Amino acid sequence: MSGSKRTNLVVFILLISGVILSAAPDLQNSPDVTNINDFRTDRVAFHYIQLVDKEGKALPERNLNRDTSESTLLIIDRGQLTLLKDGFDDPAQVKEKEKDYLNKIYKFTRLKDLEQEYYKLPESERTKPSSKTEPNQAETSKTNATSGTSPEPEEKNKEFDLLLKYDDELLKSYAAEKAAYAEYSRTERIYGKDSPKTSSLRTRFEELKSKTQERKKFLLGFLHNTSVDSNPYPGDRKEQIFYTNHSNGLPDFYLHSTTPREVDGLMRGEEEVGKKYGQLFKTAVDRLIDSQIDKLYYYIWNRDMTNTRIKVDRFLKGKKVTVVTGDSTVYTMVDKEGDGITESFFVDSPGLKFSWGKEVPNIISISNCTDQAILAKIKALGDDVSSGRIPKKVDKLDLAIPEEQILLELKPLLKNL
């Protein structure tokens, strides 16, 4: 390959690595049985994302629809897939939390809209505030009931129509009240007002009417005494914490698949998964990171012979160091705070067809690391590489298929998968 062609290739790969790093939200895309594109080649890969501060609050620069703190060890051995996840959040529980938040924000918005529209009504159309606990119309209902006259559904007016328009609970209750009244009235005409069936339906109608009046009383009380506390804002969507299970170094989710896209084994819970597969998780992650750092050192130590290129760029408060090795593997190290600590470490092989996301590095993807065991390995990488310090000389390296070598070393721990 000519020098100009090699240069163009390096520039192209550096551009690719820049795109990978800039698409931060996509780095939350973790390996799953549904998004892994190749099950045929045995391999080990690791994904880690930490977008949570010390207080457990999710950072703003995140994809709201994906887990903010999760790590995944991916193993394909003899064509069979195993995923071990740490910090896994059950999607069903996350969905319930989202649903609860959406319900709160919907009710908040409807009450705000009701408040704005209510005071556009003429004063004569609005119920006057009273020191009594019930509105005037509720008092009328009581009078009707004590006089022996059968109460009827609430009479509509502009005020009541507005309440119905903006409050789903009142609308549902009023619809049920009207339906119960129609059934009660029809039964009274047929069987008489003293029949057991009529009495039962009348009781049912009065219960629903009472429920309608209670809701109406609540809404009018809100409108007559509006304040920040009477309709508290549930917060912006980006402030909500739906993913509450954070990575702590022990896996809490296990998935095994013997056929692509199908699940043959599933286990959840740190107590069970961590006890059974915790050692495998730690050993495999350590071995994978160590092997890739050794490979990086080998290529840098022999950079002239292997045509390895190093590029240093400013990134936020710190720097981004990119290394493209002789076999086109891209190593990216990021120190975003400028404190000399590499928090993010990516290893990507563009030539591999294997991936679990188009813009996610396909060997190692560690973002914003706070795990002390991992940081002990990577925190000095950026500074060492950018300054030319290579703390470990690696003269020889088996570059054939390092993933297969790791799988051979892990064989005793893989037997129970």
Side-chain angles (χ1 to χ4, degrees), residues 111-337:
L111 283 177
K112 290 292 289 183
D113 291 343
L114 171 61
E115 182 184 353
Q116 292 179 359
E117 292 298 318
Y118 183 71
Y119 286 98
K120 293 179 182 179
L121 290 176
E123 190 173 347
S124 60
E125 298 285 349
R126 304 196 302 259
T127 300
K128 294 181 179 179
S130 172
S131 60
K132 296 182 180 181
T133 58
E134 294 180 295
N136 297 337
Q137 286 171 311
E139 293 289 347
T140 303
S141 294
K142 280 190 169 184
T143 303
N144 289 340
T146 55
S147 65
T149 305
S150 295
E152 295 184 358
E154 177 83 26
E155 290 186 9
K156 283 193 171 186
N157 54 40
K158 290 183 178 180
E159 178 187 67
F160 192 62
D161 284 345
L162 194 63
L163 298 181
L164 290 173
K165 177 182 176 181
Y166 284 101
D167 190 74
D168 294 342
E169 187 176 333
L170 180 65
L171 180 62
K172 184 178 179 180
S173 176
Y174 183 61
E177 176 192 335
K178 288 183 68 178
Y181 179 74
E183 187 177 6
Y184 151 64
S185 300
R186 183 169 58 253
T187 303
E188 184 181 47
R189 288 195 302 270
I190 297 172
Y191 298 103
K193 65 180 181 179
D194 296 325
S195 75
K197 188 173 183 179
T198 301
S199 298
S200 175
L201 290 173
R202 180 171 57 244
T203 300
R204 172 63 178 157
F205 160 66
E206 289 173 349
E207 288 174 352
L208 289 169
K209 183 173 179 63
S210 175
K211 185 177 179 181
T212 301
Q213 292 299 322
E214 283 299 314
R215 186 60 185 173
K216 178 183 175 184
K217 179 179 70 174
F218 167 81
L219 293 170
L220 290 176
F222 162 74
L223 291 167
H224 296 153
N225 300 280
T226 55
S227 67
V228 175
D229 295 333
S230 63
N231 186 26
Y233 179 54
D236 291 343
R237 171 67 176 83
K238 63 183 179 180
E239 297 171 352
Q240 306 308 306
I241 301 176
F242 300 132
Y243 296 91
T244 55
N245 187 21
H246 299 160
S247 300
N248 64 357
L250 278 176
D252 44 38
F253 176 86
Y254 160 88
L255 181 148
H256 187 71
S257 174
T258 57
T259 307
R261 309 291 183 265
E262 293 183 6
V263 177
D264 300 294
L266 190 65
M267 193 186 305
R268 295 175 181 174
E270 186 176 292
E271 184 175 345
E272 189 173 6
V273 180
K275 183 177 181 180
K276 192 169 184 178
Y277 299 111
Q279 186 59 44
L280 169 61
F281 185 84
K282 183 180 186 307
T283 304
V285 171
D286 285 348
R287 187 66 191 92
L288 177 62
I289 295 174
D290 287 343
S291 70
Q292 289 299 328
I293 292 176
D294 282 351
K295 180 180 175 180
L296 174 64
Y297 286 159
Y298 170 82
Y299 272 104
I300 293 178
W301 192 264
N302 301 280
R303 57 185 298 186
D304 292 333
M305 181 180 69
T306 60
N307 195 36
T308 295
R309 296 292 181 264
I310 301 173
K311 186 172 185 289
V312 181
D313 295 301
R314 295 187 63 181
F315 185 83
L316 299 178
K317 297 178 182 178
K319 61 186 174 184
K320 177 181 69 172
V321 182
T322 307
V323 178
V324 182
T325 65
D327 68 346
S328 300
T329 302
V330 182
Y331 291 82
T332 308
M333 293 139 278
V334 180
D335 168 16
K336 66 177 182 178
E337 299 295 336

Side-chain angles (χ1 to χ4, degrees), residues 23-121:
D26 292 324
L27 295 176
Q28 288 175 248
N29 187 24
S30 65
D32 194 3
V33 69
T34 59
N35 63 12
I36 296 169
N37 69 340
D38 180 12
F39 289 75
R40 294 170 296 179
T41 306
D42 291 352
R43 66 180 63 257
V44 179
F46 181 62
H47 172 270
Y48 174 104
I49 189 77
Q50 183 70 280
L51 293 176
V52 178
D53 62 20
K54 294 179 180 179
E55 286 73 38
K57 186 177 180 181
L59 301 178
E61 66 271 18
R62 72 189 194 277
N63 185 326
L64 301 178
N65 299 315
R66 289 183 180 151
D67 206 328
T68 51
S69 176
E70 184 182 275
S71 58
T72 303
L73 172 67
L74 180 154
I75 299 173
I76 299 178
D77 181 34
R78 292 162 295 173
Q80 297 187 19
L81 168 72
T82 299
L83 295 178
L84 290 171
K85 290 180 178 286
D86 172 25
F88 174 78
D89 284 87
D90 188 336
Q93 294 180 2
V94 172
K95 191 172 182 179
E96 279 300 312
K97 293 173 187 175
E98 290 180 325
K99 185 178 178 181
D100 181 61
Y101 167 73
L102 291 174
N103 186 46
K104 287 179 181 177
I105 199 72
Y106 174 77
K107 288 183 176 180
F108 168 81
T109 304
R110 298 297 283 176
L111 283 177
K112 290 292 289 183
D113 291 343
L114 171 61
E115 182 184 353
Q116 292 179 359
E117 292 298 318
Y118 183 71
Y119 286 98
K120 293 179 182 179
L121 290 176

Side-chain angles (χ1 to χ4, degrees), residues 26 29-31 35-37 348 354-362:
D26 292 324
N29 187 24
S30 65
N35 63 12
I36 296 169
N37 69 340
D348 185 57
F354 171 79
S355 72
W356 62 84
K358 290 183 179 179
E359 296 179 348
V360 184
N362 58 7

